[in-house]
């Protein structure tokens, strides 16, 4: 482990879908009687709000919730009252924090800025900072943790397994040059991650490694669905669902890959396309969530669709906001939480797609994926601050 710090701009490949959504100018697509309208309910009153510039998805444990802030900070707040427990700095460079996630691993809080940081979760003391010799930018693509290891991608084309206790690199593997590896997802035996390679046409797919050894198990590149193709890089997921690894491409096509071999098991076409791939050709970003028997997918069109996993039949589709869905979804057994790039977050009934409530907006927005926990729903607002909601009960 070193404590060198590479310049913020060096080969950094920050995901560009915000600009893409603005350029395309996509709005919600109304598709007749299949669209769920539903009645809007008032958002639950916040349990507490703490002023500040919050960022990303928080984590919570033992009545303390941990957030990133825009100013290269980690903030620990009492989960019930919002009272400040401690505040720590990543000492990062640049105008704003570049990472979007913190995760708790044992007694450590691992935070992503440009680099990767480990804080003592009880007092905020900085325990380690990781800038590996063979890469950079791990904090931008911080993934999840499993059995004491935390996993991260990077714009250096590598995936990393990091020992959370010390910040030491357990293993790292190169996917390719001029490639970005996005936030990895560990399973019981695998680590899977989406990747995009930047050439004349963006290409990409999903790679799976042995979680312990780092040996590559399989690699699957997404095929071109449209002619001409608009790029086949990774653009949503991956996530694990039973025997499948599910991910989406730049074309808005959703692929289910066999988790043992990486072979394509089934495909859900781009919104508006026929099963043979004919129809509108546009880039799309489809954030994914699996809730019980359903696969829920967002879109830059603003549409949210729930598919039955077993049959891929559409259970419901909804366009609550005529704007682009942001780059992740959260869910519990009753509700799907959908953040939009307009700063609104909308709660939809899992089984029907009917809107339960919404909150936020352009002035006080919540574009980050919320944390849904037993103790509440926690949201980071770029202007709205650090927010906690009690989880409401619905009939």
């Amino acid at each position: 482990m070193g404590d060198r710090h590479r310049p913020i701009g060096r080969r950094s490949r920050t995901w560009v879908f915000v600009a893409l959504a603005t350029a395309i100018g996509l709005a919600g697509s109304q598709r007749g009687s299949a669209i769920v309208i539903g009645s809007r309910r008032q958002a639950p009153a916040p349990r507490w709000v703490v002023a500040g510039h919050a960022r990303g998805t928080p984590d919570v444990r033992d009545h303390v919730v941990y957030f990133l802030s825009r100013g290269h900070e980690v903030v620990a707040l009492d989960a019930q009252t919002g009272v400040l427990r401690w505040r720590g700095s990543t000492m990062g460079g640049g105008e704003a924090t570049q990472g979007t996630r913190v995760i708790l691993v044992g007694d450590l809080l691992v935070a992503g800025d440009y680099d990767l940081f480990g804080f003592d979760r009880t007092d905020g003391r900085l325990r380690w900072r990781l800038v590996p010799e063979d890469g950079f930018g791990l904090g931008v693509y911080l993934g999840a943790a499993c059995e004491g290891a935390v996993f991260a991608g990077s714009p250096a084309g590598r995936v990393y397994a990091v020992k959370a206790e010390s910040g030491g690199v357990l293993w790292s593997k190169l996917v390719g040059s001029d490639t970005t590896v996005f936030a990895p997802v560990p399973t019981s035996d695998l680590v899977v991650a989406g990747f995009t390679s930047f050439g004349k046409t963006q290409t990409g797919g999903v790679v799976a490694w042995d979680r312990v050894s780092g040996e590559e198990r399989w690699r699957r590149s997404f095929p071109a669905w449209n002619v001409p193709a608009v790029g086949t890089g990774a653009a949503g997921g991956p996530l694990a669902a039973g025997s499948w690894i599910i991910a989406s491409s730049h074309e808005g096509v959703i692929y289910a890959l066999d988790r043992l071999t990486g072979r394509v098991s089934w495909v859900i076409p781009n919104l508006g396309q026929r099963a043979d791939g004919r129809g509108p050709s546009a880039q799309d970003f489809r954030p994914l969530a699996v809730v019980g028997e359903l696969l829920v997918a967002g879109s830059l069109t603003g549409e949210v669709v729930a598919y039955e996993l077993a049959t891929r039949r559409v259970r419901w589709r909804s366009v609550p906001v005529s704007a682009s869905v942001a780059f992740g979804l959260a869910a519990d057994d009753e509700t799907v939480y959908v953040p939009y790039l307009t700063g609104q977050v909308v709660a939809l009934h899992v089984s029907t797609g009917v809107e339960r409530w919404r909150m936020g907006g352009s002035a006080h927005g919540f574009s980050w994926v919320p944390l849904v926990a037993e103790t509440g729903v926690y949201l980071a607002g770029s202007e709205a601050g650090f927010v906690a909601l009690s989880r409401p009960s619905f009939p």
Side-chain angles (χ1 to χ4, degrees):
M1 178 186 73
D3 52 15
R4 300 173 295 109
H5 186 75
R6 296 181 185 271
I8 294 297
R10 182 177 178 180
R11 294 186 63 200
S12 179
R13 294 274 191 186
T14 302
W15 205 225
V16 294
F17 281 104
V18 174
L20 173 62
T22 302
I24 295 176
L26 293 171
S29 172
Q30 302 296 324
R31 289 188 172 85
S33 60
I35 293 290
V36 175
I37 302 299
S39 59
R40 187 185 311 169
R41 299 189 181 195
Q42 184 177 0
R47 183 193 304 160
W48 49 257
V49 178
V50 175
H53 298 278
R55 182 178 177 87
T57 301
D59 204 352
V60 65
R61 186 190 299 168
D62 297 337
H63 308 295
V64 180
V65 59
Y66 303 85
F67 288 87
L68 283 172
S69 81
R70 186 176 184 274
H72 304 286
E73 290 182 317
V74 177
V75 180
L77 304 172
D78 186 283
Q80 295 299 318
T81 65
V83 170
L84 179 68
R85 293 288 189 91
W86 55 259
R87 187 187 300 267
S89 175
T90 67
M91 299 172 289
E95 181 181 353
T97 303
Q98 294 196 47
T100 60
R101 188 173 188 180
V102 296
I103 52 175
L104 290 157
V105 190
D107 293 330
L108 268 291
L109 177 74
V110 179
D113 195 336
Y114 184 77
D115 301 325
L116 207 58
F117 299 83
F119 292 87
D120 188 298
R121 73 180 182 91
T122 59
D123 60 14
R125 177 169 53 92
L126 180 62
R127 296 261 290 269
W128 51 261
R129 176 180 184 174
L130 175 59
V131 185
E133 295 291 335
D134 58 0
F136 50 89
L138 277 69
V140 181
Y141 301 109
L142 172 61
C146 184
E147 295 188 2
V150 62
F151 299 90
S154 80
R158 285 186 171 272
V159 64
Y160 294 86
V162 178
K163 189 174 182 179
E165 182 180 357
S166 64
V169 175
L170 295 169
W171 52 262
S172 76
K173 299 295 178 180
L174 179 67
V175 174
S177 60
D178 204 22
T179 295
T180 291
V181 181
F182 301 103
V185 176
T187 70
S188 59
D189 60 337
L190 297 177
V191 176
V192 293
F195 71 95
T196 296
S197 297
F198 299 90
K200 291 182 179 180
T201 301
Q202 294 180 6
T203 60
V206 177
V207 184
W209 300 268
D210 183 277
R211 182 174 60 80
V212 177
S213 70
E215 178 186 359
E216 185 171 318
R217 293 279 190 87
W218 51 260
R219 181 182 303 214
R220 178 61 56 190
S221 294
F222 295 136
W225 188 260
N226 293 292
V227 180
V230 296
T232 60
L239 49 81
S243 61
W244 299 314
I245 301 298
I246 304 176
S248 67
S249 74
H250 280 193
E251 297 179 293
V253 180
I254 300 173
Y255 295 89
L257 309 176
D258 184 282
R259 67 178 306 277
L260 295 180
T261 66
R263 294 191 184 97
V264 176
S265 297
W266 48 259
V267 176
I268 295 176
N270 186 309
L271 292 176
Q273 290 183 327
R274 303 202 307 256
D276 61 4
R278 297 182 181 274
S281 174
Q283 289 182 302
D284 202 356
F285 184 103
R286 305 204 68 192
L288 306 172
V290 170
V291 192
E293 63 180 9
L294 297 180
L295 170 67
V296 183
S299 170
L300 290 179
T301 66
E303 187 168 350
V304 184
V305 185
Y307 304 92
E308 295 177 354
L309 271 172
T311 64
R312 272 71 71 194
R313 186 178 71 87
V314 174
R315 173 76 63 85
W316 54 260
R317 59 201 323 156
S318 176
V319 187
V321 179
S322 293
S324 298
V325 176
F327 308 134
L329 304 175
D332 56 28
D333 291 340
E334 294 185 334
T335 307
V336 179
Y337 301 85
V338 185
Y340 281 81
L341 293 181
T342 53
Q344 294 168 295
V345 60
V346 179
L348 301 177
H349 191 287
V350 165
S351 298
T352 64
V354 170
E355 182 176 337
R356 287 178 152 170
W357 53 260
R358 69 174 64 187
M359 63 185 299
S362 58
H364 301 285
F366 300 97
S367 296
W368 310 109
V369 180
L371 171 69
V372 183
E374 291 185 2
T375 54
V377 179
Y378 302 93
L379 302 101
S382 56
E383 300 293 334
F386 309 86
V387 179
L389 307 177
S390 298
R391 288 176 62 178
S393 299
F394 296 99

